[in-house]
Amino acid sequence: MSDSWPRRRLLAILRGASEPLDAQELARITGQHVTTVRFHLDVLTKESLVRQFQQPPRGRGRPRIGYSAVQRSVGYQELAEVLADQLGSDSRRRSEAAVTAGRTWGAKLDAGDHAVESLEDAKDVTVTLLSELGFAPERDPAGESDEQVLVKMTACPLRDLARTHSEVVCNVHLGLIDEVLDRNGARGVVNARLHPFVEPELCVVRLELVAARRNPENRDLAVPVGADRASVGEPPLTSTSVGRMGPQVRNADTDIAKQSAQQW
């Protein structure tokens, strides 16, 4: 269609029309013969660029066929995938760039004013944030302790993209959570980790007291999204270590950890 000026003109007219137009009306507007207009309309219809509507006849005769342009919605899923692919092939750099993007997003949000001084405070801020963004969060009391709180993300607006680009999508979400928590005073108090797809339709955010608060002699460790945990000195996840987080995250394949406060 793009190489046909008559069809582009017809499509532009139909997009600007407030109601369907028939071939006779379009022929009058464009100055083309009605048979030529019908030919172009047939092509546009086959390309799913216009849609036909039956209209009442003018006086006696058969019903008229009206045409209206198909309103195409923006393919946000496709756009997000293209943007994710532009972050390069190095998984660590993609992860770090995604965290930075998430933090930038979080800095622009109105996150309220709820001082984070405890795990309970961090949980409240996280649940509120995720609720507003459509993640349908649920608290998981079974996985809670004095050192951690689990929040289940039962929905995700970009779930399909996250299945193929988890190091990007999940790190954007992690950076967003990090930024909002830090803006409310969580830096040095609480760490956030994100465990994607612990079940086919479920991700989990783990909020935990920073290592320095549990043991002042240990530095808090950070694992970028998609990075090898051993490459940064953190032991790999095992059935025992994951089990301590509660039964809901025993099947996690990847542990997406918060960037440490020292890196920011």
Side-chain angles (χ1 to χ4, degrees), residues 99 171 174 178 192-194 221-225 229 234 255-259:
V99 169
N171 253 323
L174 179 61
D178 282 348
R193 297 178 183 269
L194 201 160
L221 296 170
V223 184
V225 174
R229 294 167 65 91
E234 185 169 7
D255 179 26
I256 298 183
K258 175 186 176 183
Q259 302 293 309

Side-chain angles (χ1 to χ4, degrees), residues 48-161:
S48 299
L49 294 173
V50 303
R51 183 176 299 140
Q52 296 181 358
F53 295 88
Q54 191 172 34
Q55 296 179 300
R58 292 193 180 99
R60 296 181 179 181
R62 294 181 300 175
R64 296 177 298 135
I65 301 298
Y67 297 84
S68 180
V70 174
Q71 301 299 321
R72 297 191 174 228
S73 60
V74 176
Y76 288 108
Q77 184 78 16
E78 292 80 5
L79 175 60
E81 183 172 358
V82 170
L83 294 175
D85 288 338
Q86 296 308 303
L87 294 180
S89 58
D90 184 272
S91 62
R92 187 182 182 92
R93 291 186 178 180
R94 285 161 62 91
S95 300
E96 292 172 348
V99 169
T100 300
R103 281 188 169 271
T104 301
W105 181 14
K108 296 179 181 296
L109 291 180
D110 181 4
D113 185 14
H114 186 157
V116 175
E117 300 176 349
S118 65
L119 278 174
E120 188 69 18
D121 294 334
K123 181 268 299 178
D124 290 342
V125 170
T126 302
V127 168
T128 298
L129 171 67
L130 295 178
S131 295
E132 292 176 350
L133 296 178
F135 289 91
E138 296 179 1
R139 185 168 175 171
D140 183 12
E144 294 185 3
S145 69
D146 292 338
E147 297 180 349
Q148 72 173 22
V149 170
L150 300 182
V151 178
K152 297 189 290 186
M153 301 163 65
T154 65
C156 176
L158 292 175
R159 178 170 287 156
D160 290 341
L161 181 61

Side-chain angles (χ1 to χ4, degrees), residues 222-242:
V223 184
V225 174
D228 180 2
R229 294 167 65 91
S231 69
V232 293
E234 185 169 7
L237 289 177
T238 65
S239 59
T240 301
S241 61
V242 174

Side-chain angles (χ1 to χ4, degrees), residues 183-195:
R183 283 173 57 193
N184 284 278
R187 182 172 298 181
V189 179
V190 174
N191 266 353
R193 297 178 183 269
L194 201 160
H195 303 272

Side-chain angles (χ1 to χ4, degrees), residues 18-33:
S18 59
E19 60 183 16
L21 301 176
D22 64 18
Q24 294 281 358
E25 293 169 312
L26 289 167
R28 179 178 54 79
I29 294 172
T30 61
Q32 300 179 74
H33 193 278

